[in-house]
Amino acid sequence: MTTQSQAAKPPVTRFDAVIVGAGMVGAALAGLLAEAGMQVALVEAKASPLRLDDVAGEIPAPRVSALTPVSQRLLTHLGVWPAMAAARVTPYRYMQVWDAEGSGHIHFSADEAGTAVLGHIVENDVTQAALNEQTAKQPTLTRFDGISVSALQTTASGRWLVLEDGSQLQTPLVIAADGARSALRELAGISVAEESMEQEAVVTTVRCAQSHGATARQAFIGGRPLAFLPLTVNGDDRFCSIVWSTTPEHASELTAYSAEALGKALGEAFDHRLGDVMPVDSAYRFPLVQRHAQHYVQPNFALVGDAAHSIHPLAGQGVNLGLMDAAVLAEEVVAAWHRGAPWGSLATLSRYERRRRLDNTAMLGLMKGFKVLFGSHQPVFTLARNLGMSGMNQLVPLKRVVMRQATGERGRLPASCR
């Protein structure tokens, strides 16, 4: 891999693809295209990419993802999973979900799903650092770190990007992987449907009195889902990552608490299922907004990950959906590139959108439906959700179908994820 510093003023450089945004999804996509032999540029506004030496400290990073077995297979294909596992990943074999306002509950297990694990809780920094180090080894990948895009232009042969340092990149394909508030999406003129969830997520890391038992737990408390996600730190399996989706007013209160007061609030809300709770980090909050781009593609342009869709963290599916975007787009683009077809054409890119839009739309709709169902205090909704959860808990075949969906086994998977 070569690196372009901000000080250099290169002439126009041509690439087979330019990816803007080197987060987990953008870096994974860059790796998939580069391993096929394509000349790829990866542009990232932040300087100094994370390295594995920078992560997996004594206190876990506050932002984590519940990576599915399908995402694990993709990361294994990219060669980064062993480094992630050596840093810190926490497998979970069980999942418990219950309604704190009633008797409804459901329990999932890897044995029922026919898999070794239901997934892994992994700090985003660990995944990011491993991808950064792997892409650094790709000889056909050039990174532009600490540089933003200042202009996006359309040419007869594709797209023309102008970076803030004066660099000019010409390519048949620009891919926006620059997050939920994508500047590239705006430059391309793609509109987005946006809906506030009227909630904020409070995240922190805690140490409990009891072992998490390789179990991901989630309680619905008055329409405010509280998740205790298992983390094992240096062999100690009493750590959990907390995600509490709640009202902005309650989020403000929680983040203002002392560590002792926050631990008490979390323990009481969780009915002390893991005993006493003590935060080991500050609590952070961020607003929850679902977004969905009206289109994923234009000629010579595509959106992936949060630039195309952002989702409520309820099911931990956000990064998994983005990684699947990357895998499907790479499969379609590389196939066209190999056969000499125009890989940036609307015909090629539309195949990607058709394969991904329905799945993403269904997941966004499901999360909105959960919020409505569990956010209502009307007796009919309370009865329906409790009967539904408890009834499903008795139907193993139905649970197995649900678990296969939750573990990412949906539709036609790209070869890199099988």
Side-chain angles (χ1 to χ4, degrees), residues 43-304:
V43 181
E44 171 56 51
K46 296 178 183 176
S48 304
L50 275 175
R51 301 299 179 199
L52 285 167
D53 288 343
D54 305 324
V55 302
E58 291 296 319
I59 298 177
R63 299 295 296 270
V64 304
S65 295
L67 295 178
T68 66
V70 170
S71 291
Q72 180 187 354
R73 293 200 291 268
L74 173 62
L75 294 164
T76 299
H77 171 88
L78 285 167
V80 302
W81 187 260
M84 292 169 58
R88 182 160 55 225
V89 303
T90 303
Y92 60 97
R93 302 192 70 251
Y94 310 98
M95 184 181 298
Q96 295 176 358
V97 182
W98 67 94
D99 187 346
E101 294 187 328
S103 60
H105 71 281
I106 191 165
H107 177 269
F108 299 102
S109 74
D111 291 339
E112 288 177 323
T115 61
V117 297
L118 292 178
H120 290 81
I121 305 301
V122 187
E123 295 151 71
N124 290 355
D125 285 355
V126 169
T127 306
Q128 184 69 67
L131 285 165
N132 288 344
E133 294 200 358
Q134 185 65 16
T135 55
K137 302 173 185 176
Q138 296 282 2
T140 63
L141 193 154
T142 301
R143 287 189 68 125
F144 294 78
D145 289 305
I147 308 174
S148 298
V149 175
S150 59
L152 171 68
Q153 302 170 8
T154 301
T155 69
S157 59
R159 299 282 178 144
W160 192 300
L161 280 172
V162 180
L163 308 187
E164 63 177 3
D165 70 341
S167 301
Q168 299 181 55
L169 314 180
Q170 190 175 16
T171 180
L173 177 59
V174 169
I175 302 162
D178 53 341
R181 301 190 181 195
S182 170
L184 261 289
R185 184 184 64 214
E186 186 173 339
L187 286 173
I190 296 178
S191 59
V192 61
E194 182 173 302
E195 180 180 3
S196 170
M197 295 289 98
E198 300 177 346
Q199 288 184 332
E200 293 187 359
V202 175
V203 298
T204 191
T205 305
V206 302
R207 189 170 183 268
C208 303
Q210 300 172 19
S211 164
H212 54 62
T215 303
R217 297 172 172 87
Q218 185 157 261
F220 287 92
I221 306 165
R224 300 172 295 172
L226 169 59
F228 275 57
L229 306 175
L231 287 173
T232 299
V233 180
N234 297 327
D236 188 341
D237 63 359
R238 289 173 290 178
F239 286 83
C240 286
S241 179
I242 301 297
V243 184
W244 198 344
S245 302
T246 185
T247 64
E249 296 77 17
H250 189 219
S252 179
E253 292 176 12
L254 292 172
T255 51
Y257 282 163
S258 66
E260 291 77 12
L262 179 58
K264 182 179 179 181
L266 289 167
E268 290 177 351
F270 220 61
D271 199 25
H272 298 288
R273 294 197 178 207
L274 294 177
D276 291 340
V277 176
M278 177 53 66
V280 298
D281 194 6
S282 300
Y284 306 89
R285 55 190 279 213
F286 56 93
L288 298 179
V289 179
Q290 284 202 168
R291 298 178 177 89
H292 205 185
Q294 299 288 57
H295 306 285
Y296 289 4
V297 300
Q298 293 177 345
N300 311 106
F301 186 86
L303 304 172
V304 294

